[in-house]
Amino acid sequence: MAAEDEGRTEQPSEYKLEKARKEGRVAKSQEISSALVLLLCVITIVFLAKWFFNEIVTIIKFYFNQCSSCDIKNPTFLPAFFDVFIKCVLPISLISAVSAIAGNIIQTKGFIFSIKPIEPKFSKIIPKVGEYLKKTIFSAKGLFNVAKSIGKVAIICFVAYLYIKKDLFVLIDIIDNGDIGSALGQVAKMAAQILITVAVLFLALSIPDYFVQRHDFMQEMKMTKQEVKEEYKEMEGDPEVKSKLQQMQRQLLSQNIPKSVAESDVVITNPTHFAVALKYDQSVADSPIVNAKGEDQMALRIRQIASENDIPIVENRPVARDLYTNVEVGDIIPEVYYSAIAVIYSHLEKYKQKPN
């Protein structure tokens, strides 16, 4: 069912996407990681093929040389096997792990660690055959995945057919000459060509698959209008989010002091060391907000801007000092200063009524 049919018409917010990311839910394609693992592992095998072959031949020779011995308790039997096994398996395992991690990091734009997807849930134990079939087969996404799997099999078959057709007679000639070693080498070469070509094609096709998965993820993350309202309320009540918003507001105001002072109602001074500009807008807050503040040279600059823009400058040492120390730019003045600020604003009315 489309997101719009469920009433989810709004694009997901950054807050919801970040929350989903923390839970390990991000837009990614498993095809990219799989293709990358396949390609790099095949390249590793091709690059180390001669070394692998020598190691395997060595261990086979060792066991054939020991097969006539009746000492089955020979302590070198098992260590010799594990020595070759680890040497051959370890490089491929490391490349596979690095490729899988790199494929995910590239898509998710960073490392994500979350145990949320693997948390045990009783609901996951109960089989939901109908829901599973609906999601995997009887849906657009399910049909797309089935078509994708069939397409991958078709690519493998087609590529294998082309390479086998091209080199089949060469292989037959080698076999007719009785050169088994060359025949094995030719088969290995054909297999490597098929695997590398298939891996490259899979990697190329995984790129559009990523965009399809991203589109599906963004559709899944869409929100209803009610969810948008509830999220906004939640963010407003979140102290951490509120603190970040206030910090951003303070930074913006601090970066544009001339404009902030020019839009202020009054500048309260110490008179020389501190200057605090206040702005009262009932549509924004129920009490005045600190629009700008400064000390020493900045305080002088604020007073100059106020004079240039005909903003009243009021000298009140304790209020100016306390506001500068205890209230940040963008913050509403605390209730303890209401009386003193009310007196200052009452004088502003008289200042406005004076003839120019």
Side-chain angles (χ1 to χ4, degrees):
M1 185 178 291
E4 288 75 10
D5 297 336
E6 298 176 352
R8 294 184 285 116
T9 57
E10 308 301 311
Q11 292 297 324
S13 64
E14 291 296 328
Y15 178 75
K16 183 172 183 179
L17 292 175
E18 183 61 28
K19 188 176 179 181
R21 181 181 178 86
K22 290 178 180 178
E23 294 175 353
R25 294 187 295 139
V26 291
K28 64 178 182 178
S29 169
Q30 295 295 339
E31 303 299 328
I32 291 181
S33 299
S34 301
L36 198 59
V37 169
L38 177 61
L39 178 61
L40 294 182
C41 285
V42 171
I43 292 174
T44 302
I45 292 172
V46 172
F47 183 74
L48 299 176
K50 188 174 181 180
W51 181 74
F52 285 156
F53 180 78
N54 292 334
E55 288 293 323
I56 293 171
V57 168
T58 301
I59 193 64
I60 291 174
K61 285 182 177 179
F62 170 77
Y63 281 115
F64 270 111
N65 291 333
Q66 298 294 326
C67 68
S68 60
S69 173
C70 296
D71 187 10
I72 61 174
K73 296 181 180 179
N74 189 333
T76 62
F77 280 7
L78 196 59
F81 167 78
F82 279 111
D83 179 61
V84 174
F85 178 78
I86 292 172
K87 284 181 181 179
C88 294
V89 171
L90 187 60
I92 300 174
S93 300
L94 290 176
I95 292 295
S96 298
V98 172
S99 304
I101 294 171
N104 282 282
I105 290 177
I106 291 170
Q107 295 181 78
T108 58
K109 299 177 182 178
F111 184 78
I112 301 175
F113 177 78
S114 175
I115 60 172
K116 186 84 174 177
I118 60 174
E119 283 182 355
K121 289 184 179 179
F122 185 74
S123 58
K124 293 181 179 180
I125 301 174
I126 302 174
K128 298 179 180 178
V129 179
E131 186 176 338
Y132 173 78
L133 292 175
K134 183 179 179 181
K135 287 183 177 180
T136 56
I137 299 177
F138 303 107
S139 67
K141 187 175 181 179
L143 292 174
F144 174 75
N145 289 331
V146 170
K148 188 166 59 176
S149 299
I150 295 173
K152 289 166 69 174
V153 173
I155 289 172
I156 295 171
C157 294
F158 182 67
V159 171
Y161 168 76
L162 291 179
Y163 277 106
I164 292 172
K165 181 183 178 181
K166 179 172 70 73
D167 296 330
L168 180 60
F169 292 106
V170 176
L171 180 61
I172 292 173
D173 289 340
I174 294 173
I175 294 173
D176 288 341
N177 293 330
D179 191 349
I180 301 300
S182 298
L184 290 174
Q186 181 64 28
V187 171
K189 178 184 175 182
M190 293 166 61
Q193 290 175 333
I194 292 169
L195 288 173
I196 291 176
T197 304
V198 166
V200 170
L201 290 174
F202 281 2
L203 188 59
L205 293 174
S206 66
I207 296 174
D209 181 68
Y210 167 76
F211 289 103
V212 171
Q213 299 299 332
R214 179 173 176 78
H215 174 267
D216 290 344
F217 176 76
M218 295 302 288
Q219 289 292 315
E220 184 181 340
M221 288 288 104
K222 275 190 172 182
M223 308 166 67
T224 63
K225 294 183 183 296
Q226 184 61 32
E227 286 176 334
V228 173
K229 292 179 182 178
E230 290 176 357
E231 184 185 277
Y232 179 77
K233 290 179 181 178
E234 181 182 346
M235 291 177 63
E236 283 292 304
D238 189 335
E240 184 178 350
V241 174
K242 201 170 185 178
S243 174
K244 287 183 179 179
L245 290 173
Q246 289 176 346
Q247 184 179 0
M248 291 172 60
Q249 186 179 21
R250 285 195 291 268
Q251 289 175 349
L252 290 172
L253 290 172
S254 298
Q255 291 170 1
N256 199 3
I257 286 181
K259 183 179 179 182
S260 299
V261 175
E263 294 177 350
S264 299
D265 300 324
V266 62
V267 173
I268 306 173
T269 65
N270 194 31
T272 57
H273 293 297
F274 303 108
V276 180
L278 299 182
K279 172 70 176 178
Y280 179 43
D281 186 348
Q282 288 182 327
S283 64
V284 176
D286 295 332
S287 56
I289 294 174
V290 174
N291 243 18
K293 68 175 185 176
E295 183 180 7
D296 296 333
Q297 291 299 321
M298 183 59 71
L300 176 61
R301 175 65 178 146
I302 289 174
R303 292 198 304 273
Q304 290 174 346
I305 296 170
S307 299
E308 293 169 0
N309 291 273
D310 200 26
I311 304 298
I313 300 175
V314 177
E315 180 182 335
N316 191 316
R317 296 171 183 262
V319 173
R321 188 189 310 110
D322 288 354
L323 287 177
Y324 179 84
T325 304
N326 301 321
V327 186
E328 297 294 336
V329 175
D331 285 355
I332 299 171
I333 63 168
E335 191 173 348
V336 67
Y337 301 110
Y338 280 4
S339 299
I341 299 302
V343 172
I344 292 172
Y345 268 83
S346 66
H347 287 301
L348 291 183
E349 294 299 325
K350 297 177 182 178
Y351 175 84
K352 292 178 182 177
Q353 293 172 4
K354 287 182 180 181
N356 294 328

